[in-house]
Amino acid sequence: MSDVKCPYCGEEQEINHDDGYGYEEDERHEQYCVGCNKTFKFTTSITYNYEVFCQKEDHVMEPFGDKWPGMYECEKCDFYEKR
């Protein structure tokens, strides 16, 4: 799996993250392209996304609304389902 594509030749590149290289945000890192032998720069942005769910027996299900008939959502967490 590649991390980025070279902006010059489009060759897929894998960033070598040894010793944490390339993970620091707000910094420009350099990568050598093995396809065209040019060096390009990249930045890193790290995001986290969490979804939380009740235990199945604890859901309090309500209709999602008129826009999505048959869809129900838990009023306490991010769970939804079609019934």
Side-chain angles (χ1 to χ4, degrees), residues 20-33:
Y21 177 79
Y23 283 130
E24 188 172 341
E25 293 183 283
D26 301 324
E27 183 177 315
R28 288 188 178 191
H29 308 281
E30 289 190 354
Q31 176 74 18
Y32 173 79
C33 177

Side-chain angles (χ1 to χ4, degrees), residues 2 4-16 21 29-42:
S2 69
V4 298
K5 287 185 179 181
C6 173
Y8 300 109
C9 70
E11 181 83 16
E12 293 187 353
Q13 306 290 308
E14 199 166 316
I15 305 298
N16 182 351
Y21 177 79
H29 308 281
E30 289 190 354
Q31 176 74 18
Y32 173 79
C33 177
V34 295
C36 67
N37 299 322
K38 291 186 178 182
T39 300
F40 62 91
K41 294 186 178 191
F42 68 93

